[in-house]
Amino acid sequence: MYIRKRKSKWQVMVRHGGQRLSKTFIDRSSCVAWAHDMKKQLIKLSKYQSIEASLNTKLKDLIVRYQKEFSALKIDGKTEIARWNKLIRDYRWLVNLTLAELRTSDFSRFKEKRVKDGNIAFNTDLTLLRHLFKKAINTWGYEIQNPTLPIEKAKRNPYGRHRHLKRSEYKLLLSGPTKYMVYFLLGRNTGLRPYSELINITWNDVDDINMVIYIRRSKTNISRKVPLTKFLLKQLLKLKKDHSLRVFDFKKYGVESYFKRFKKKHGIENLQIYDCTRRQFCFDVVQRGFSVDKISRITGHKWQTAHNMIELYSGVSSLRQLGEY
């Protein structure tokens, strides 16, 4: 409430929930009485509008609003926005539900499906969703219960995930379009990270004289050299075009979209792009008896991660979990 005197009259202004009302009176006491009455009505009206919005607003609309008001302002905002977009794209049955329709059972179903992509992926999404509902309730005024609170996070496996790439699956990948064939061939035989490294290679990073690829900026901010064979270099050069800077002319969503269609076409389940590239490469170097230091240097992993990788791919972790090691 804001009251001021203008010549012989008094003006009062009331604000609440983004709405503003004002009126002029001949005395101050009338201003105060009118302001109290109007504020009660505005509170009642905003509460009614909030209830209506909470019943009819879709989860997708809340996500879009959260992206604009919160995700876009964060340092890693682009990554978070991309994660939200993936949720909208892959789980339409969930995000198209209104807040009145959403139940905890819907997020239990989401958990069953999302953990197939990895426990960490699900836990990250769950944290985001919990924060979204917290903002919706405390900041935006939606009168709802948070349906994600009863959902427990998936237990993290200290050794990570491993799913062997079958020979038949690998052959099918190599029979696809040239650019995707080279992508999976190179990932499978160099161990480059599929998104942050492999997909962002430029021709300036490819040294055809010394037969290496320079990774100048990695996840751990440590540069390294990845060796190439003559066969890999020959396949790589098939993609070279005049005036092209990047080796691959597609982004993360492009290869994910292709891989999704590929799995559906051939009836392949529980297979990730990482399984076809970096994880399979790491499994091979462990089987060949590479030391921890050498694996760490080639893959760009930290020493402890490389050590856990050796335990996982050599079978020691399985014995340890059974109490036999």
Side-chain angles (χ1 to χ4, degrees), residues 1 3 10-12 25 27-36:
M1 181 174 59
I3 300 175
W10 293 81
Q11 185 182 46
V12 60
F25 297 87
D27 61 284
R28 192 177 190 282
S29 60
S30 298
C31 289
V32 175
W34 180 86
H36 283 304

Side-chain angles (χ1 to χ4, degrees), residues 54-72:
S54 67
L55 292 175
N56 299 315
T57 304
K58 292 183 178 180
L59 176 58
K60 178 180 177 181
D61 298 328
L62 284 188
I63 292 174
V64 172
R65 182 176 179 181
Y66 186 91
Q67 286 178 315
K68 293 178 180 178
E69 296 185 17
F70 297 102
S71 297

Side-chain angles (χ1 to χ4, degrees), residues 57-60 62-63 84 87-88 91-115 122-134 136-137 144-154:
T57 304
K58 292 183 178 180
L59 176 58
K60 178 180 177 181
L62 284 188
I63 292 174
W84 280 126
L87 184 67
I88 293 172
Y91 297 92
R92 294 178 184 176
W93 60 268
L94 177 65
V95 299
N96 285 326
L97 293 175
T98 64
L99 300 186
E101 297 170 329
L102 278 172
R103 298 288 184 272
T104 299
S105 57
D106 296 315
F107 292 97
S108 296
R109 180 186 171 194
F110 168 70
K111 179 179 179 179
E112 292 177 3
K113 294 180 177 295
R114 188 63 169 121
V115 291
F122 166 73
N123 290 343
T124 305
D125 284 355
L126 181 61
T127 300
L128 279 177
L129 286 166
R130 283 178 175 173
H131 202 259
L132 168 68
F133 281 107
K134 184 177 179 180
I137 296 168
I144 56 174
Q145 297 293 324
N146 189 336
T148 64
L149 289 180
I151 305 298
E152 294 184 359
K153 288 189 174 183

Side-chain angles (χ1 to χ4, degrees), residues 102-299:
L102 278 172
R103 298 288 184 272
T104 299
S105 57
D106 296 315
F107 292 97
S108 296
R109 180 186 171 194
F110 168 70
K111 179 179 179 179
E112 292 177 3
K113 294 180 177 295
R114 188 63 169 121
V115 291
K116 294 179 180 178
D117 297 325
N119 291 0
I120 296 177
F122 166 73
N123 290 343
T124 305
D125 284 355
L126 181 61
T127 300
L128 279 177
L129 286 166
R130 283 178 175 173
H131 202 259
L132 168 68
F133 281 107
K134 184 177 179 180
K135 289 295 181 184
I137 296 168
N138 298 333
T139 305
W140 299 331
Y142 287 90
E143 297 185 357
I144 56 174
Q145 297 293 324
N146 189 336
T148 64
L149 289 180
I151 305 298
E152 294 184 359
K153 288 189 174 183
K155 294 182 179 179
R156 295 184 61 175
N157 181 355
Y159 297 103
R161 160 196 164 93
H162 182 61
R163 196 277 207 187
H164 282 289
L165 176 65
K166 298 177 183 177
R167 183 180 294 270
S168 59
E169 295 169 341
Y170 188 45
K171 287 183 177 180
L172 289 172
L173 280 172
L174 298 186
S175 64
T178 303
K179 61 181 180 180
Y180 294 116
M181 180 274 288
V182 175
Y183 175 85
F184 285 104
L185 180 70
L186 199 63
R188 165 72 175 74
N189 290 279
T190 62
L192 295 177
R193 293 180 174 91
Y195 304 127
S196 60
E197 296 175 352
L198 181 58
I199 210 169
N200 292 315
I201 294 174
T202 66
W203 290 111
N204 292 331
D205 299 327
V206 180
D207 186 345
D208 56 353
I209 297 176
N210 295 310
M211 304 290 288
V212 295
I213 295 177
Y214 294 99
I215 304 302
R216 306 179 195 278
R217 187 175 181 180
S218 67
K219 179 180 177 181
T220 54
N221 291 322
I222 300 175
S223 60
R224 69 184 193 279
K225 294 186 292 185
V226 178
L228 286 173
T229 63
K230 290 183 179 180
F231 175 74
L232 287 178
L233 181 62
K234 182 180 178 180
Q235 300 302 314
L236 194 60
L237 293 176
K238 289 181 180 181
L239 302 179
K240 194 163 189 178
K241 300 177 182 177
D242 294 336
H243 310 296
S244 64
L245 177 63
R246 297 173 65 250
V247 173
F248 299 104
D249 62 355
F250 49 80
K251 296 287 187 178
K252 179 180 177 180
Y253 176 67
V255 70
E256 283 183 336
S257 178
Y258 167 76
F259 193 66
K260 190 174 182 180
R261 297 193 305 271
F262 167 81
K263 291 195 296 182
K264 185 176 181 180
K265 178 181 178 181
H266 298 288
I268 298 173
E269 296 181 353
N270 194 28
L271 186 67
Q272 300 176 6
I273 290 178
Y274 259 86
D275 297 329
C276 306
T277 52
R278 187 170 173 83
R279 290 191 186 111
Q280 190 61 41
F281 172 81
C282 293
F283 174 79
D284 290 343
V285 294
V286 169
Q287 293 296 306
R288 290 165 63 183
F290 281 31
S291 66
V292 175
D293 291 334
K294 193 169 184 179
I295 292 175
S296 177
R297 188 168 62 252
I298 292 176
T299 62

